[in-house]
Amino acid sequence: MQIQVKKLEGSWDLGYALHKHTLTSTYLGDDEYGHPRFDTTRSEPGEALYQLKYRSDWDQVAPIAAQLQTTLLPLFEKVGLIIPMPASTIRARQPVDELAAELGRITGIPVFGNIVVKSPPPEGSPQLKNLHSREEKDAALQGRFSIIPSITNDGCWNALLLDDLFDTGATMDAVCKALRTYNKINRIYAASITWK
């Protein structure tokens, strides 16, 4: 898989993504139903993620997780646990959860999928993806994440916060703020498959 690692800036201690999601996208006009069509070229990680999320190609999980293990994990100090970002869209199977589980399986690092809980948005509020400014997103996410203290052993652990597509970083920042209130979390590392 061809990658082009980028450092991600935010309230975490250190963060990286594997590659830009979309390399080129050319508008081709609308189809017979009035939907816009595009000729889109994605990076290899971007295409793998697209196939996983929108085509339910679960065979993409293993190669993406292997790439995360090879490329991004060595950039962080010892990771003690993996936390998948809470999903913004409800699906029967969550791609980020599957990626976290596979990364945990191949590295032996425990995965805590239920430490961070996202409360539903207030009724009638717009979807986060329909908000354009960072300020609007920060306001919409205020107080939406809480922690379920699930770590039972003693100590303080470096956490890897895993996401699929990094855009403004508003959601990851909000999750980091919540995680910083948990006394079992030491450093927080951010990893994303692609950035927008």
Side-chain angles (χ1 to χ4, degrees):
M1 195 177 283
Q2 192 174 19
I3 54 157
Q4 184 181 323
V5 174
K6 176 183 176 177
K7 189 172 184 185
L8 302 176
E9 300 297 336
S11 61
W12 42 89
D13 294 291
L14 191 59
Y16 296 98
L18 289 174
H19 210 306
K20 185 169 174 55
H21 191 81
T22 301
L23 302 178
T24 63
S25 189
T26 308
Y27 175 65
L28 300 174
D30 292 352
D31 65 15
E32 64 270 24
Y33 305 106
H35 301 119
R37 295 179 315 126
F38 296 90
D39 178 17
T40 301
T41 306
R42 297 177 191 87
S43 65
E44 284 187 59
E47 186 59 35
L49 182 59
Y50 176 82
Q51 293 299 325
L52 171 60
K53 281 181 79 167
Y54 301 107
R55 299 292 182 261
S56 298
D57 180 358
W58 300 102
D59 290 340
Q60 300 295 333
V61 170
I64 294 172
Q67 193 67 59
L68 288 168
Q69 178 189 22
T70 304
T71 306
L72 298 189
L73 272 186
L75 302 174
F76 306 122
E77 281 180 45
K78 184 168 175 37
V79 172
L81 60 120
I82 299 167
I83 302 172
M85 281 287 291
S88 54
T89 303
I90 295 170
R91 294 179 169 97
R93 282 176 81 181
Q94 292 294 355
V96 174
D97 291 351
E98 299 283 336
L99 288 166
E102 177 64 10
L103 185 59
R105 188 190 70 74
I106 62 178
T107 60
I109 299 171
V111 176
F112 285 81
N114 298 320
I115 280 185
V116 180
V117 178
K118 183 179 184 182
S119 63
E123 198 167 320
S125 62
Q127 283 191 295
L128 205 58
K129 67 180 180 183
N130 295 331
L131 300 176
H132 300 293
S133 78
R134 175 63 194 258
E135 292 73 26
E136 288 176 306
K137 290 183 179 188
D138 286 341
L141 291 165
Q142 186 74 35
R144 296 264 314 276
F145 295 99
S146 56
I147 301 298
I148 295 177
S150 315
I151 301 171
T152 54
N153 53 0
D154 290 334
C156 206
W157 311 92
N158 292 339
L160 179 69
L161 194 52
L162 182 63
D163 205 358
D164 52 3
L165 176 62
F166 183 89
D167 186 4
T168 64
T171 307
M172 206 171 252
D173 268 329
V175 170
C176 275
K177 284 180 184 137
L179 281 172
R180 297 238 185 251
T181 68
Y182 189 22
N183 64 356
K184 296 284 189 176
I185 301 296
N186 184 23
R187 302 195 74 179
I188 300 171
Y189 302 125
S192 183
I193 314 310
T194 58
W195 72 85
K196 204 165 188 172

